[in-house]
Amino acid sequence: MLFKSLSEREYCNKVYGCWLGKNCGGTLGAPLESGWGKEEMFDVWWYPELKEGGIPNDDLELQLIWLQALEDKGINIKARDLAEYWLDCVQYNFDEYGLHKTNLKKGLLPPISGYYNNWFKDCMGSPIRSEIWACIAPGLPNVAASYAYEDAIVDHAGGESIYGEMFNAAIESVAFLINDKEKLLEVGLSFIPEDSKTAKAIKDAIKAYKQGMSWKEARNFVLRHSYSPIAQYSPVNLGFQTIGLLYGKDFADALCKAVNCGYDTDCTGATLGALLGIISGKEGLPEKWIKPLSDKITTNSSWGGIKNVREPKNLDDLTKRVCRIGEKVLSFYKEEISLERKTVSENLDLDFKVDENIKKLWYISPTKVDFNLHTLIISVDYLNTPVIQSGVPKIFKVIIKNTRLVNLKVDVSIETPMGWNVEPKIKKMNIKPGTESIGEFSIKVNNIKDLNVSNRADIYVSVSGRPKLEKIPLVFLSPDRWLISRVFKKEKITALSSMETNPNSTGLNKKWTVIDFFDNELKIERNFHGESGIIYLRHYIYSPDGRDIRVGLPSNCPFCMWLNGRVIHKVQTEGILRPNYAGDGRSYVDTNLKKGWNQFFIK
């Protein structure tokens, strides 16, 4: 194995440069960010808005929390640890942040917490959190990418965003030792699947550069092949970040070109700024761009973006804390890289091959949750969904790997809530050392009254001749039950029908069909059979008290919404979907629930 060394002074200088560069790029791009991507580009070549300390940005703030988690839990931190810090410290609820936290609160664990009912798992929430992992694993891209994977699956499992964070962590880690842009991209691409959408967008940017396109032509080339109307769509932003890296004549030019490509401008600017800051170090960054921001760290903790965080006093304090963790990581991997009081040889032929264990991460099921019980490693695979429907058997698998040196006799049983039936009652396994056995189980709930929003069961595993093991949590969610009318064909949204004579009707009759939806997406297109028309929906929500709420129906069509018999919102135009707690400027309204049952009637 090739041995690499990095001077302590250079290491700290590059870590400092990383955070300073990230602040520069985020401050440049933040005022231009919006929820929707635009065809037109920006034309900014200096900070549109300038504040001492820069503009607060979740890109950096979340990594302050991960630093605290590393200090608290140690360098063997996993997704399960980070999930707790999401609930302890993060108050942001927009997009994937809010959706995956809902899953955590309902009892789901990573990775399914980031996979289920998450419309934004291909967005930028995790690629922007890569720097902390690179900075604690300089020159160790496999280690950095492994940390990035654990981070990303909490809120993006099964999505392109995992590849975005692994790519960024890998190239940023390698940038501590080399500065060749094309080599960095080559290494980064080796850490993500070749056929991923993220890899395609990055390779499109490289292709445009090598074919001699202008950076503006390259931007349109990438956008055309990786289009999404959502500004935070990860693959296109990784492509724009690559354009800034390749076409940038210097630090400022690179940041501005990346940001001027549009879309998630604060993220592309901040990530590229961090990468260039690692390459050049603090001392290599242009005074003009860093001096106005000073050494301060500005966060949104004062108004509730993050909480319960030991915030660094300034960038110097942040750098020292990160480097202390980095020294522990480097000490653990001392056979690969070390901190020395000398610099890396300029002629050293560095080889950064992706480990086969990293490649295995690409294909792990986002519905499989792992538990290490020392005697055994147990995995629960919810298969396609964690939702259980009344009257329909729910199949799931329990996968047990024997990590010991002898055969183990294992009994597996499931304890369920009252009214639930499980088959088989008990599963007996004889597992050889180093092998795994798979048990398939089926649970059925016959009465919908035995289903809650979140339903907790337990898996009990008994190993003959071994200490008693902890029980394994098993969580199933109930579907959302809606009533749906027939389609009134070829009618417009402005037309009135007999359904609207009593929008607060109760009970079931032949006009309504009961439908269970397994997530937030109400798939009703098939009801129209390709023809235009209108359809009505009813849904009930129980509130233990009267309360103010924000309610929305993100949709691509016009709609009208009643609450307890009164109209509360109308939308007359078509739109682009963006189903998140913050709203989309079109589909949401502030209103209030009464104590008890409330009926939503939607046209």
Side-chain angles (χ1 to χ4, degrees), residues 272-290:
L272 182 56
L275 174 62
L276 296 175
I278 292 171
I279 291 173
S280 66
K282 171 190 175 184
E283 295 167 4
L285 291 174
E287 184 75 8
K288 175 183 177 182
W289 282 79
I290 65 175

Side-chain angles (χ1 to χ4, degrees), residues 81-362:
D81 301 301
L82 296 175
E84 295 294 338
Y85 283 86
W86 271 104
L87 298 178
D88 286 344
C89 304
V90 183
Q91 297 191 91
Y92 293 118
N93 286 319
F94 41 78
D95 299 348
E96 59 265 50
Y97 294 173
L99 291 173
H100 98 274
K101 283 200 295 176
T102 294
N103 290 336
L104 291 174
K105 290 178 179 179
K106 288 182 177 180
L108 297 179
L109 293 171
I112 201 167
S113 62
Y115 174 75
Y116 169 69
N117 200 21
N118 183 0
W119 197 82
F120 296 93
K121 55 179 172 281
D122 293 327
C123 288
M124 286 296 287
S126 68
I128 60 177
R129 308 194 297 256
S130 59
E131 289 80 22
I132 183 67
W133 315 124
C135 285
I136 65 170
L140 300 174
N142 285 289
V143 178
S146 180
Y147 276 124
Y149 172 83
E150 294 290 334
D151 179 10
I153 62 173
V154 182
D155 58 338
H156 291 86
E160 286 288 326
S161 306
I162 293 179
Y163 307 139
E165 184 167 1
M166 293 176 75
F167 173 87
N168 281 342
I171 63 172
E172 288 164 346
S173 172
V174 173
F176 277 88
L177 297 177
I178 66 174
N179 58 16
D180 184 295
K181 297 177 181 180
E182 293 189 38
K183 177 64 176 177
L184 287 171
L185 293 170
E186 177 187 328
V187 172
L189 285 170
S190 72
F191 278 78
I192 62 177
E194 186 177 357
D195 59 352
S196 65
K197 294 177 182 177
T198 302
K200 174 175 171 46
I202 294 166
K203 287 187 283 191
D204 278 343
I206 297 171
K207 180 179 180 180
Y209 176 72
K210 290 186 175 181
Q211 288 184 355
M213 295 185 198
S214 70
W215 71 274
K216 292 182 179 180
E217 291 171 333
R219 181 264 190 185
N220 292 330
F221 182 74
V222 169
L223 183 59
R224 186 163 61 248
H225 290 94
S226 299
Y227 176 76
S228 170
I230 303 301
Q232 287 69 36
Y233 181 59
S234 176
V236 72
N237 286 293
L238 268 290
F240 291 169
Q241 171 188 310
T242 304
I243 288 173
L245 176 64
L246 291 174
Y247 284 88
K249 298 175 184 178
D250 53 33
F251 176 81
D253 189 59
L255 290 194
C256 291
K257 283 175 177 173
V259 167
N260 283 332
C261 285
Y263 275 61
D264 204 347
T265 49
D266 67 324
C267 294
T268 52
T271 302
L272 182 56
L275 174 62
L276 296 175
I278 292 171
I279 291 173
S280 66
K282 171 190 175 184
E283 295 167 4
L285 291 174
E287 184 75 8
K288 175 183 177 182
W289 282 79
I290 65 175
K291 187 175 181 180
L293 303 183
S294 73
D295 189 40
K296 292 183 178 179
I297 297 175
T298 306
T299 70
N300 283 316
S301 57
S302 60
W303 62 264
I306 58 174
K307 62 178 182 178
N308 302 324
V309 180
R310 298 190 297 271
E311 295 186 29
K313 300 174 184 177
N314 48 39
L315 290 178
D316 183 62
D317 184 31
L318 172 59
T319 298
K320 290 177 180 177
R321 288 171 61 183
V322 170
C323 288
R324 279 196 291 269
I325 299 294
E327 289 172 4
K328 294 179 181 179
V329 174
L330 290 171
S331 177
F332 186 81
Y333 293 95
K334 59 185 177 181
E335 293 184 0
E336 295 184 33
I337 189 169
S338 70
L339 288 180
E340 303 287 351
R341 299 193 181 277
K342 60 182 179 180
T343 59
V344 178
S345 170
E346 293 180 3
N347 299 318
L348 191 60
D349 182 19
L350 299 175
D351 184 18
F352 301 100
K353 286 187 177 180
V354 59
D355 190 278
E356 289 301 315
N357 289 325
I358 293 294
K359 293 183 179 181
K360 290 178 182 178
L361 298 177
W362 302 343

